[in-house]
Amino acid sequence: REDLMFTYKGIPYPTTLCSYEVFKAMESFEARSDDMILAGFPKSGTNWFGHILLELITTFEKKTEVEPTIYGEEFDEFPYLEVGDTEKYQRMKKIPFRRVIRTHLMSQNLPKSVFTNKAKILLLLRNPKDLATSFFKFSKVMAPFPTYDSWDEFFKDFMTGNIPWGSYFTYLSEWNKHADDEHVMPITFEEVKENPLLGVKKIAKFFELPLTEEELKGVAERSSFQAMKNNSKETHGVFGNVLFRKGGVSDWKSLFSEEQNQEMDKIFEECLAQTKLGAKIKYNVWCK
Ligand code: A3P
């Protein structure tokens, strides 16, 4: 399992997706104030929110008849900042404006220009129990991630942060330092699941993509779990079934023992309960 990960600045990453070379090359990345950054720990709904953004931008650009800015030939889909080849930063430079960039990185490991140049960051949050559940199920079938024979084994590594991209609790504590930044908007998986139209409206407003009620409704419908799952063979090939697994809330109850449940409650209480992001993850509602 150790062979599948390497450590960079104290955080483990999967060797199949990231490398020292990419992190070095990332230093040449210069963020812009019109960049749209989608930040979220793996399994927090990155593909879902990426799709919402894609729908919002294409709808907006179609109606305003501006030159489409969506990556086109340069990339198949929105690039992850720290995943892929070392040449990507050069290709990203060619995108004239409104670049959408995804990242699983903790805030302190992002290029500094993201904060100094005030790129807009949509910070995706998900209740840690469902995120751990989703991560475990994903690890079982996805070759790039270390796999686990049992949930108990995975749970231990999740709690100590010995998984790709490290500890979710550290992730949340670090990002909490930016919870009040005006160019950062935290949003939860659960609030958008509960009210997709309201979620889509918040995102459109944050990124200054003015659309009509009808258009926003269309975006919400085309981004529903079912719509995305139905489309997943086309968009993600054989990975479709893995990426669009259940898309719900509270699946953690099928895996956690009472002891594990208490252990996670305890760590949350200790490091996140008093924080702004902790409050956003309405722990008592979604995790108990
Ligand atoms: P589950 O494994 O709990 O089903 P990521 O894209 O960051 O890897 O996150 C994957 C999680 O987001 C999966 O969770 C997946 O089902 C869920 N998901 C993907 N698209 C979704 C959608 N349109 N609505 C709700 N959940 C979605």
Side-chain angles (χ1 to χ4, degrees), residues 41-48 80 104 124 126 130 133-135 137-138 189 193 223-226 228 242-248 251:
F41 202 76
K43 312 321 290 174
S44 60
T46 351
N47 286 285
W48 176 20
Y80 281 89
H104 296 316
L124 256 182
R126 189 177 188 186
D130 278 340
T133 304
S134 181
F135 209 121
K137 301 274 179 173
F138 187 74
F189 183 104
K193 183 82 197 167
S223 309
S224 74
F225 179 73
Q226 211 46 53
M228 288 187 69
V242 188
L243 274 172
F244 305 96
R245 192 183 64 89
K246 287 203 162 169
D251 194 32

PDB file of all heavy atoms in Angstrom, residues 41-48 80 104 124 126 130 133-135 137-138 189 193 223-226 228 242-248 251, ligand 1:
ATOM      1  N   PHE A  41     -12.052  18.014  -0.795  1.00  0.00           N
ATOM      2  CA  PHE A  41     -11.334  16.764  -0.531  1.00  0.00           C
ATOM      3  C   PHE A  41     -11.888  15.690  -1.464  1.00  0.00           C
ATOM      4  O   PHE A  41     -13.056  15.775  -1.869  1.00  0.00           O
ATOM      5  CB  PHE A  41     -11.558  16.368   0.940  1.00  0.00           C
ATOM      6  CG  PHE A  41     -10.517  15.441   1.482  1.00  0.00           C
ATOM      7  CD1 PHE A  41      -9.267  15.912   1.828  1.00  0.00           C
ATOM      8  CD2 PHE A  41     -10.792  14.089   1.656  1.00  0.00           C
ATOM      9  CE1 PHE A  41      -8.298  15.049   2.337  1.00  0.00           C
ATOM     10  CE2 PHE A  41      -9.833  13.219   2.171  1.00  0.00           C
ATOM     11  CZ  PHE A  41      -8.584  13.704   2.504  1.00  0.00           C
ATOM     12  N   PRO A  42     -11.053  14.683  -1.828  1.00  0.00           N
ATOM     13  CA  PRO A  42     -11.605  13.620  -2.684  1.00  0.00           C
ATOM     14  C   PRO A  42     -12.886  13.032  -2.080  1.00  0.00           C
ATOM     15  O   PRO A  42     -12.959  12.823  -0.870  1.00  0.00           O
ATOM     16  CB  PRO A  42     -10.489  12.562  -2.693  1.00  0.00           C
ATOM     17  CG  PRO A  42      -9.234  13.310  -2.379  1.00  0.00           C
ATOM     18  CD  PRO A  42      -9.642  14.454  -1.506  1.00  0.00           C
ATOM     19  N   LYS A  43     -13.857  12.815  -2.920  1.00  0.00           N
ATOM     20  CA  LYS A  43     -15.159  12.239  -2.577  1.00  0.00           C
ATOM     21  C   LYS A  43     -16.133  13.211  -1.916  1.00  0.00           C
ATOM     22  O   LYS A  43     -17.129  12.815  -1.320  1.00  0.00           O
ATOM     23  CB  LYS A  43     -15.039  10.977  -1.695  1.00  0.00           C
ATOM     24  CG  LYS A  43     -14.054   9.940  -2.168  1.00  0.00           C
ATOM     25  CD  LYS A  43     -14.035   9.759  -3.655  1.00  0.00           C
ATOM     26  CE  LYS A  43     -15.281   9.085  -4.204  1.00  0.00           C
ATOM     27  NZ  LYS A  43     -15.233   9.091  -5.699  1.00  0.00           N
ATOM     28  N   SER A  44     -15.829  14.508  -2.024  1.00  0.00           N
ATOM     29  CA  SER A  44     -16.770  15.477  -1.465  1.00  0.00           C
ATOM     30  C   SER A  44     -17.771  15.941  -2.514  1.00  0.00           C
ATOM     31  O   SER A  44     -18.609  16.805  -2.242  1.00  0.00           O
ATOM     32  CB  SER A  44     -16.009  16.668  -0.863  1.00  0.00           C
ATOM     33  OG  SER A  44     -15.234  17.290  -1.858  1.00  0.00           O
ATOM     34  N   GLY A  45     -17.691  15.389  -3.733  1.00  0.00           N
ATOM     35  CA  GLY A  45     -18.649  15.780  -4.768  1.00  0.00           C
ATOM     36  C   GLY A  45     -18.023  16.644  -5.856  1.00  0.00           C
ATOM     37  O   GLY A  45     -18.709  17.425  -6.523  1.00  0.00           O
ATOM     38  N   THR A  46     -16.720  16.494  -6.047  1.00  0.00           N
ATOM     39  CA  THR A  46     -15.998  17.332  -7.022  1.00  0.00           C
ATOM     40  C   THR A  46     -16.572  17.221  -8.435  1.00  0.00           C
ATOM     41  O   THR A  46     -16.665  18.209  -9.146  1.00  0.00           O
ATOM     42  CB  THR A  46     -14.499  16.946  -7.068  1.00  0.00           C
ATOM     43  OG1 THR A  46     -14.228  16.038  -6.010  1.00  0.00           O
ATOM     44  CG2 THR A  46     -13.634  18.150  -6.919  1.00  0.00           C
ATOM     45  N   ASN A  47     -16.943  16.010  -8.829  1.00  0.00           N
ATOM     46  CA  ASN A  47     -17.476  15.838 -10.191  1.00  0.00           C
ATOM     47  C   ASN A  47     -18.863  16.467 -10.332  1.00  0.00           C
ATOM     48  O   ASN A  47     -19.185  17.044 -11.363  1.00  0.00           O
ATOM     49  CB  ASN A  47     -17.529  14.354 -10.556  1.00  0.00           C
ATOM     50  CG  ASN A  47     -16.141  13.824 -10.824  1.00  0.00           C
ATOM     51  OD1 ASN A  47     -15.556  14.101 -11.863  1.00  0.00           O
ATOM     52  ND2 ASN A  47     -15.580  13.111  -9.862  1.00  0.00           N
ATOM     53  N   TRP A  48     -19.629  16.359  -9.303  1.00  0.00           N
ATOM     54  CA  TRP A  48     -20.970  16.953  -9.302  1.00  0.00           C
ATOM     55  C   TRP A  48     -20.885  18.479  -9.437  1.00  0.00           C
ATOM     56  O   TRP A  48     -21.497  19.078 -10.309  1.00  0.00           O
ATOM     57  CB  TRP A  48     -21.667  16.538  -7.999  1.00  0.00           C
ATOM     58  CG  TRP A  48     -23.012  17.109  -7.754  1.00  0.00           C
ATOM     59  CD1 TRP A  48     -23.865  17.647  -8.679  1.00  0.00           C
ATOM     60  CD2 TRP A  48     -23.682  17.199  -6.491  1.00  0.00           C
ATOM     61  NE1 TRP A  48     -25.026  18.056  -8.063  1.00  0.00           N
ATOM     62  CE2 TRP A  48     -24.931  17.790  -6.729  1.00  0.00           C
ATOM     63  CE3 TRP A  48     -23.340  16.825  -5.184  1.00  0.00           C
ATOM     64  CZ2 TRP A  48     -25.847  18.027  -5.695  1.00  0.00           C
ATOM     65  CZ3 TRP A  48     -24.250  17.045  -4.166  1.00  0.00           C
ATOM     66  CH2 TRP A  48     -25.489  17.642  -4.425  1.00  0.00           C
ATOM     67  N   TYR A  80      -7.289  19.156 -12.724  1.00  0.00           N
ATOM     68  CA  TYR A  80      -6.953  19.224 -11.297  1.00  0.00           C
ATOM     69  C   TYR A  80      -5.585  19.862 -11.228  1.00  0.00           C
ATOM     70  O   TYR A  80      -4.670  19.457 -11.948  1.00  0.00           O
ATOM     71  CB  TYR A  80      -6.888  17.823 -10.687  1.00  0.00           C
ATOM     72  CG  TYR A  80      -8.243  17.237 -10.369  1.00  0.00           C
ATOM     73  CD1 TYR A  80      -8.944  16.493 -11.310  1.00  0.00           C
ATOM     74  CD2 TYR A  80      -8.832  17.448  -9.120  1.00  0.00           C
ATOM     75  CE1 TYR A  80     -10.192  15.958 -11.012  1.00  0.00           C
ATOM     76  CE2 TYR A  80     -10.077  16.922  -8.826  1.00  0.00           C
ATOM     77  CZ  TYR A  80     -10.752  16.172  -9.769  1.00  0.00           C
ATOM     78  OH  TYR A  80     -11.978  15.657  -9.485  1.00  0.00           O
ATOM     79  N   HIS A 104      -7.750  19.129  -4.850  1.00  0.00           N
ATOM     80  CA  HIS A 104      -8.021  18.489  -3.556  1.00  0.00           C
ATOM     81  C   HIS A 104      -7.038  18.997  -2.490  1.00  0.00           C
ATOM     82  O   HIS A 104      -7.020  18.499  -1.377  1.00  0.00           O
ATOM     83  CB  HIS A 104      -7.816  16.970  -3.659  1.00  0.00           C
ATOM     84  CG  HIS A 104      -8.753  16.266  -4.585  1.00  0.00           C
ATOM     85  ND1 HIS A 104     -10.106  16.522  -4.634  1.00  0.00           N
ATOM     86  CD2 HIS A 104      -8.543  15.266  -5.480  1.00  0.00           C
ATOM     87  CE1 HIS A 104     -10.669  15.710  -5.529  1.00  0.00           C
ATOM     88  NE2 HIS A 104      -9.747  14.955  -6.069  1.00  0.00           N
ATOM     89  N   LEU A 124     -15.889  23.039  -1.275  1.00  0.00           N
ATOM     90  CA  LEU A 124     -16.878  21.977  -1.104  1.00  0.00           C
ATOM     91  C   LEU A 124     -16.697  21.246   0.209  1.00  0.00           C
ATOM     92  O   LEU A 124     -15.597  20.792   0.502  1.00  0.00           O
ATOM     93  CB  LEU A 124     -16.594  20.938  -2.178  1.00  0.00           C
ATOM     94  CG  LEU A 124     -17.509  20.909  -3.343  1.00  0.00           C
ATOM     95  CD1 LEU A 124     -17.102  19.793  -4.267  1.00  0.00           C
ATOM     96  CD2 LEU A 124     -18.898  20.686  -2.821  1.00  0.00           C
ATOM     97  N   ARG A 126     -18.257  18.171   2.909  1.00  0.00           N
ATOM     98  CA  ARG A 126     -19.192  17.046   3.028  1.00  0.00           C
ATOM     99  C   ARG A 126     -19.044  16.440   4.410  1.00  0.00           C
ATOM    100  O   ARG A 126     -17.940  16.456   4.963  1.00  0.00           O
ATOM    101  CB  ARG A 126     -18.890  15.990   1.961  1.00  0.00           C
ATOM    102  CG  ARG A 126     -19.950  14.904   1.895  1.00  0.00           C
ATOM    103  CD  ARG A 126     -19.690  13.900   0.788  1.00  0.00           C
ATOM    104  NE  ARG A 126     -20.827  13.003   0.658  1.00  0.00           N
ATOM    105  CZ  ARG A 126     -20.860  11.944  -0.140  1.00  0.00           C
ATOM    106  NH1 ARG A 126     -19.820  11.664  -0.890  1.00  0.00           N
ATOM    107  NH2 ARG A 126     -21.937  11.180  -0.196  1.00  0.00           N
ATOM    108  N   ASP A 130     -19.948  10.387   5.750  1.00  0.00           N
ATOM    109  CA  ASP A 130     -20.310   9.970   4.389  1.00  0.00           C
ATOM    110  C   ASP A 130     -19.101  10.046   3.461  1.00  0.00           C
ATOM    111  O   ASP A 130     -18.942   9.221   2.562  1.00  0.00           O
ATOM    112  CB  ASP A 130     -21.429  10.864   3.820  1.00  0.00           C
ATOM    113  CG  ASP A 130     -22.805  10.413   4.299  1.00  0.00           C
ATOM    114  OD1 ASP A 130     -22.938   9.246   4.726  1.00  0.00           O
ATOM    115  OD2 ASP A 130     -23.741  11.227   4.250  1.00  0.00           O
ATOM    116  N   THR A 133     -17.065   6.982   3.974  1.00  0.00           N
ATOM    117  CA  THR A 133     -17.763   5.840   3.371  1.00  0.00           C
ATOM    118  C   THR A 133     -17.545   5.820   1.860  1.00  0.00           C
ATOM    119  O   THR A 133     -17.194   4.799   1.271  1.00  0.00           O
ATOM    120  CB  THR A 133     -19.274   5.937   3.689  1.00  0.00           C
ATOM    121  OG1 THR A 133     -19.418   6.007   5.103  1.00  0.00           O
ATOM    122  CG2 THR A 133     -20.043   4.752   3.132  1.00  0.00           C
ATOM    123  N   SER A 134     -17.738   6.972   1.247  1.00  0.00           N
ATOM    124  CA  SER A 134     -17.577   7.092  -0.201  1.00  0.00           C
ATOM    125  C   SER A 134     -16.124   6.783  -0.608  1.00  0.00           C
ATOM    126  O   SER A 134     -15.870   6.095  -1.601  1.00  0.00           O
ATOM    127  CB  SER A 134     -17.969   8.510  -0.629  1.00  0.00           C
ATOM    128  OG  SER A 134     -17.858   8.669  -2.010  1.00  0.00           O
ATOM    129  N   PHE A 135     -15.178   7.279   0.202  1.00  0.00           N
ATOM    130  CA  PHE A 135     -13.748   7.079  -0.066  1.00  0.00           C
ATOM    131  C   PHE A 135     -13.411   5.587  -0.019  1.00  0.00           C
ATOM    132  O   PHE A 135     -12.703   5.055  -0.886  1.00  0.00           O
ATOM    133  CB  PHE A 135     -12.930   7.838   0.996  1.00  0.00           C
ATOM    134  CG  PHE A 135     -11.587   8.322   0.529  1.00  0.00           C
ATOM    135  CD1 PHE A 135     -11.268   9.682   0.553  1.00  0.00           C
ATOM    136  CD2 PHE A 135     -10.617   7.428   0.094  1.00  0.00           C
ATOM    137  CE1 PHE A 135     -10.029  10.139   0.136  1.00  0.00           C
ATOM    138  CE2 PHE A 135      -9.369   7.883  -0.316  1.00  0.00           C
ATOM    139  CZ  PHE A 135      -9.075   9.227  -0.302  1.00  0.00           C
ATOM    140  N   LYS A 137     -15.426   2.972  -0.439  1.00  0.00           N
ATOM    141  CA  LYS A 137     -16.045   2.245  -1.555  1.00  0.00           C
ATOM    142  C   LYS A 137     -15.263   2.503  -2.846  1.00  0.00           C
ATOM    143  O   LYS A 137     -15.110   1.640  -3.695  1.00  0.00           O
ATOM    144  CB  LYS A 137     -17.506   2.684  -1.740  1.00  0.00           C
ATOM    145  CG  LYS A 137     -18.363   2.450  -0.517  1.00  0.00           C
ATOM    146  CD  LYS A 137     -18.918   1.053  -0.492  1.00  0.00           C
ATOM    147  CE  LYS A 137     -19.751   0.838   0.758  1.00  0.00           C
ATOM    148  NZ  LYS A 137     -20.458  -0.403   0.804  1.00  0.00           N
ATOM    149  N   PHE A 138     -14.806   3.747  -2.981  1.00  0.00           N
ATOM    150  CA  PHE A 138     -14.034   4.140  -4.159  1.00  0.00           C
ATOM    151  C   PHE A 138     -12.683   3.420  -4.175  1.00  0.00           C
ATOM    152  O   PHE A 138     -12.262   2.883  -5.204  1.00  0.00           O
ATOM    153  CB  PHE A 138     -13.837   5.660  -4.125  1.00  0.00           C
ATOM    154  CG  PHE A 138     -13.210   6.243  -5.349  1.00  0.00           C
ATOM    155  CD1 PHE A 138     -13.931   6.359  -6.526  1.00  0.00           C
ATOM    156  CD2 PHE A 138     -11.903   6.713  -5.328  1.00  0.00           C
ATOM    157  CE1 PHE A 138     -13.354   6.928  -7.659  1.00  0.00           C
ATOM    158  CE2 PHE A 138     -11.327   7.282  -6.459  1.00  0.00           C
ATOM    159  CZ  PHE A 138     -12.053   7.388  -7.627  1.00  0.00           C
ATOM    160  N   PHE A 189     -22.233  19.662   0.440  1.00  0.00           N
ATOM    161  CA  PHE A 189     -22.858  18.619  -0.370  1.00  0.00           C
ATOM    162  C   PHE A 189     -24.325  18.494   0.054  1.00  0.00           C
ATOM    163  O   PHE A 189     -25.239  18.460  -0.781  1.00  0.00           O
ATOM    164  CB  PHE A 189     -22.098  17.315  -0.051  1.00  0.00           C
ATOM    165  CG  PHE A 189     -22.518  16.092  -0.825  1.00  0.00           C
ATOM    166  CD1 PHE A 189     -21.742  15.630  -1.863  1.00  0.00           C
ATOM    167  CD2 PHE A 189     -23.652  15.367  -0.464  1.00  0.00           C
ATOM    168  CE1 PHE A 189     -22.085  14.470  -2.566  1.00  0.00           C
ATOM    169  CE2 PHE A 189     -24.008  14.210  -1.163  1.00  0.00           C
ATOM    170  CZ  PHE A 189     -23.229  13.760  -2.213  1.00  0.00           C
ATOM    171  N   LYS A 193     -27.834  19.004  -1.973  1.00  0.00           N
ATOM    172  CA  LYS A 193     -28.659  17.803  -2.140  1.00  0.00           C
ATOM    173  C   LYS A 193     -30.099  18.106  -1.693  1.00  0.00           C
ATOM    174  O   LYS A 193     -31.066  17.712  -2.343  1.00  0.00           O
ATOM    175  CB  LYS A 193     -28.052  16.682  -1.291  1.00  0.00           C
ATOM    176  CG  LYS A 193     -28.728  15.348  -1.400  1.00  0.00           C
ATOM    177  CD  LYS A 193     -28.277  14.590  -2.614  1.00  0.00           C
ATOM    178  CE  LYS A 193     -29.259  13.481  -2.917  1.00  0.00           C
ATOM    179  NZ  LYS A 193     -29.081  12.892  -4.231  1.00  0.00           N
ATOM    180  N   SER A 223     -27.957  18.562 -13.561  1.00  0.00           N
ATOM    181  CA  SER A 223     -26.878  18.189 -12.636  1.00  0.00           C
ATOM    182  C   SER A 223     -27.361  17.233 -11.547  1.00  0.00           C
ATOM    183  O   SER A 223     -26.625  16.970 -10.592  1.00  0.00           O
ATOM    184  CB  SER A 223     -26.303  19.441 -11.963  1.00  0.00           C
ATOM    185  OG  SER A 223     -25.973  20.408 -12.925  1.00  0.00           O
ATOM    186  N   SER A 224     -28.578  16.737 -11.674  1.00  0.00           N
ATOM    187  CA  SER A 224     -29.083  15.829 -10.635  1.00  0.00           C
ATOM    188  C   SER A 224     -28.287  14.528 -10.679  1.00  0.00           C
ATOM    189  O   SER A 224     -27.657  14.196 -11.696  1.00  0.00           O
ATOM    190  CB  SER A 224     -30.562  15.521 -10.856  1.00  0.00           C
ATOM    191  OG  SER A 224     -30.691  14.639 -11.959  1.00  0.00           O
ATOM    192  N   PHE A 225     -28.330  13.802  -9.582  1.00  0.00           N
ATOM    193  CA  PHE A 225     -27.588  12.539  -9.520  1.00  0.00           C
ATOM    194  C   PHE A 225     -28.035  11.611 -10.645  1.00  0.00           C
ATOM    195  O   PHE A 225     -27.208  11.035 -11.355  1.00  0.00           O
ATOM    196  CB  PHE A 225     -27.801  11.878  -8.149  1.00  0.00           C
ATOM    197  CG  PHE A 225     -27.080  10.568  -8.034  1.00  0.00           C
ATOM    198  CD1 PHE A 225     -25.697  10.534  -7.909  1.00  0.00           C
ATOM    199  CD2 PHE A 225     -27.772   9.372  -8.073  1.00  0.00           C
ATOM    200  CE1 PHE A 225     -25.016   9.328  -7.823  1.00  0.00           C
ATOM    201  CE2 PHE A 225     -27.103   8.162  -7.988  1.00  0.00           C
ATOM    202  CZ  PHE A 225     -25.719   8.141  -7.858  1.00  0.00           C
ATOM    203  N   GLN A 226     -29.339  11.497 -10.814  1.00  0.00           N
ATOM    204  CA  GLN A 226     -29.851  10.576 -11.822  1.00  0.00           C
ATOM    205  C   GLN A 226     -29.410  10.984 -13.231  1.00  0.00           C
ATOM    206  O   GLN A 226     -28.972  10.156 -14.017  1.00  0.00           O
ATOM    207  CB  GLN A 226     -31.381  10.478 -11.720  1.00  0.00           C
ATOM    208  CG  GLN A 226     -31.934   9.122 -12.124  1.00  0.00           C
ATOM    209  CD  GLN A 226     -31.161   7.936 -11.525  1.00  0.00           C
ATOM    210  OE1 GLN A 226     -30.969   7.865 -10.310  1.00  0.00           O
ATOM    211  NE2 GLN A 226     -30.672   7.021 -12.358  1.00  0.00           N
ATOM    212  N   MET A 228     -26.836  12.723 -14.082  1.00  0.00           N
ATOM    213  CA  MET A 228     -25.394  12.522 -14.259  1.00  0.00           C
ATOM    214  C   MET A 228     -25.049  11.040 -14.343  1.00  0.00           C
ATOM    215  O   MET A 228     -24.176  10.638 -15.099  1.00  0.00           O
ATOM    216  CB  MET A 228     -24.612  13.204 -13.136  1.00  0.00           C
ATOM    217  CG  MET A 228     -24.633  14.717 -13.271  1.00  0.00           C
ATOM    218  SD  MET A 228     -23.558  15.543 -12.090  1.00  0.00           S
ATOM    219  CE  MET A 228     -21.927  15.074 -12.679  1.00  0.00           C
ATOM    220  N   VAL A 242     -18.683   3.948 -10.617  1.00  0.00           N
ATOM    221  CA  VAL A 242     -17.957   4.153  -9.364  1.00  0.00           C
ATOM    222  C   VAL A 242     -18.105   5.591  -8.893  1.00  0.00           C
ATOM    223  O   VAL A 242     -18.260   5.875  -7.708  1.00  0.00           O
ATOM    224  CB  VAL A 242     -16.463   3.856  -9.581  1.00  0.00           C
ATOM    225  CG1 VAL A 242     -15.736   3.864  -8.270  1.00  0.00           C
ATOM    226  CG2 VAL A 242     -16.269   2.569 -10.336  1.00  0.00           C
ATOM    227  N   LEU A 243     -18.066   6.499  -9.850  1.00  0.00           N
ATOM    228  CA  LEU A 243     -18.136   7.923  -9.492  1.00  0.00           C
ATOM    229  C   LEU A 243     -19.545   8.328  -9.087  1.00  0.00           C
ATOM    230  O   LEU A 243     -19.730   9.211  -8.264  1.00  0.00           O
ATOM    231  CB  LEU A 243     -17.683   8.781 -10.674  1.00  0.00           C
ATOM    232  CG  LEU A 243     -16.181   9.005 -10.752  1.00  0.00           C
ATOM    233  CD1 LEU A 243     -15.816   9.695 -12.042  1.00  0.00           C
ATOM    234  CD2 LEU A 243     -15.693   9.827  -9.559  1.00  0.00           C
ATOM    235  N   PHE A 244     -20.532   7.689  -9.687  1.00  0.00           N
ATOM    236  CA  PHE A 244     -21.914   8.018  -9.347  1.00  0.00           C
ATOM    237  C   PHE A 244     -22.512   6.807  -8.653  1.00  0.00           C
ATOM    238  O   PHE A 244     -23.250   6.031  -9.233  1.00  0.00           O
ATOM    239  CB  PHE A 244     -22.685   8.445 -10.600  1.00  0.00           C
ATOM    240  CG  PHE A 244     -21.986   9.569 -11.310  1.00  0.00           C
ATOM    241  CD1 PHE A 244     -21.138   9.336 -12.379  1.00  0.00           C
ATOM    242  CD2 PHE A 244     -22.105  10.866 -10.844  1.00  0.00           C
ATOM    243  CE1 PHE A 244     -20.427  10.361 -12.986  1.00  0.00           C
ATOM    244  CE2 PHE A 244     -21.396  11.903 -11.434  1.00  0.00           C
ATOM    245  CZ  PHE A 244     -20.563  11.649 -12.519  1.00  0.00           C
ATOM    246  N   ARG A 245     -22.141   6.643  -7.416  1.00  0.00           N
ATOM    247  CA  ARG A 245     -22.444   5.426  -6.681  1.00  0.00           C
ATOM    248  C   ARG A 245     -23.841   5.506  -6.064  1.00  0.00           C
ATOM    249  O   ARG A 245     -24.770   4.883  -6.526  1.00  0.00           O
ATOM    250  CB  ARG A 245     -21.365   5.218  -5.601  1.00  0.00           C
ATOM    251  CG  ARG A 245     -21.362   3.869  -4.937  1.00  0.00           C
ATOM    252  CD  ARG A 245     -20.293   3.842  -3.847  1.00  0.00           C
ATOM    253  NE  ARG A 245     -20.567   4.786  -2.777  1.00  0.00           N
ATOM    254  CZ  ARG A 245     -21.289   4.511  -1.693  1.00  0.00           C
ATOM    255  NH1 ARG A 245     -21.801   3.325  -1.523  1.00  0.00           N
ATOM    256  NH2 ARG A 245     -21.500   5.443  -0.761  1.00  0.00           N
ATOM    257  N   LYS A 246     -23.988   6.330  -5.024  1.00  0.00           N
ATOM    258  CA  LYS A 246     -25.306   6.496  -4.392  1.00  0.00           C
ATOM    259  C   LYS A 246     -25.751   7.954  -4.389  1.00  0.00           C
ATOM    260  O   LYS A 246     -26.924   8.247  -4.503  1.00  0.00           O
ATOM    261  CB  LYS A 246     -25.278   5.970  -2.961  1.00  0.00           C
ATOM    262  CG  LYS A 246     -25.242   4.449  -2.876  1.00  0.00           C
ATOM    263  CD  LYS A 246     -25.774   3.969  -1.545  1.00  0.00           C
ATOM    264  CE  LYS A 246     -26.144   2.497  -1.626  1.00  0.00           C
ATOM    265  NZ  LYS A 246     -26.424   1.921  -0.299  1.00  0.00           N
ATOM    266  N   GLY A 247     -24.777   8.837  -4.175  1.00  0.00           N
ATOM    267  CA  GLY A 247     -25.074  10.268  -4.217  1.00  0.00           C
ATOM    268  C   GLY A 247     -26.039  10.743  -3.155  1.00  0.00           C
ATOM    269  O   GLY A 247     -26.805  11.669  -3.379  1.00  0.00           O
ATOM    270  N   GLY A 248     -25.982  10.123  -1.991  1.00  0.00           N
ATOM    271  CA  GLY A 248     -26.951  10.504  -0.960  1.00  0.00           C
ATOM    272  C   GLY A 248     -26.312  10.905   0.351  1.00  0.00           C
ATOM    273  O   GLY A 248     -25.128  11.193   0.439  1.00  0.00           O
ATOM    274  N   ASP A 251     -25.286   7.288   4.200  1.00  0.00           N
ATOM    275  CA  ASP A 251     -24.887   5.913   3.874  1.00  0.00           C
ATOM    276  C   ASP A 251     -23.877   5.381   4.900  1.00  0.00           C
ATOM    277  O   ASP A 251     -23.676   4.180   5.023  1.00  0.00           O
ATOM    278  CB  ASP A 251     -24.303   5.858   2.449  1.00  0.00           C
ATOM    279  CG  ASP A 251     -24.183   4.434   1.924  1.00  0.00           C
ATOM    280  OD1 ASP A 251     -25.032   3.599   2.302  1.00  0.00           O
ATOM    281  OD2 ASP A 251     -23.238   4.146   1.174  1.00  0.00           O
TER     282      ASP A 251
HETATM  283  P1  A3P B   1     -21.146   8.370  -2.925  1.00  0.00           P
HETATM  284  O1  A3P B   1     -19.958   7.463  -3.058  1.00  0.00           O
HETATM  285  O2  A3P B   1     -21.544   8.575  -1.494  1.00  0.00           O
HETATM  286  O3  A3P B   1     -22.297   7.936  -3.765  1.00  0.00           O
HETATM  287  P2  A3P B   1     -16.149  13.040  -6.054  1.00  0.00           P
HETATM  288  O4  A3P B   1     -16.713  13.519  -7.333  1.00  0.00           O
HETATM  289  O5  A3P B   1     -15.493  14.132  -5.263  1.00  0.00           O
HETATM  290  O6  A3P B   1     -15.295  11.840  -6.240  1.00  0.00           O
HETATM  291  O7  A3P B   1     -17.377  12.606  -5.121  1.00  0.00           O
HETATM  292  C1  A3P B   1     -18.115  11.450  -5.413  1.00  0.00           C
HETATM  293  C2  A3P B   1     -19.395  11.433  -4.598  1.00  0.00           C
HETATM  294  O8  A3P B   1     -20.320  12.415  -5.126  1.00  0.00           O
HETATM  295  C3  A3P B   1     -20.100  10.065  -4.713  1.00  0.00           C
HETATM  296  O9  A3P B   1     -20.713   9.831  -3.445  1.00  0.00           O
HETATM  297  C4  A3P B   1     -21.124  10.369  -5.808  1.00  0.00           C
HETATM  298  O10 A3P B   1     -22.208   9.480  -5.857  1.00  0.00           O
HETATM  299  C5  A3P B   1     -21.548  11.772  -5.433  1.00  0.00           C
HETATM  300  N1  A3P B   1     -22.206  12.462  -6.572  1.00  0.00           N
HETATM  301  C6  A3P B   1     -21.758  12.580  -7.832  1.00  0.00           C
HETATM  302  N2  A3P B   1     -22.640  13.268  -8.584  1.00  0.00           N
HETATM  303  C7  A3P B   1     -23.665  13.597  -7.780  1.00  0.00           C
HETATM  304  C8  A3P B   1     -24.886  14.314  -7.986  1.00  0.00           C
HETATM  305  N3  A3P B   1     -25.220  14.826  -9.167  1.00  0.00           N
HETATM  306  N4  A3P B   1     -25.696  14.478  -6.914  1.00  0.00           N
HETATM  307  C9  A3P B   1     -25.370  13.969  -5.711  1.00  0.00           C
HETATM  308  N5  A3P B   1     -24.222  13.278  -5.455  1.00  0.00           N
HETATM  309  C10 A3P B   1     -23.382  13.100  -6.475  1.00  0.00           C
END
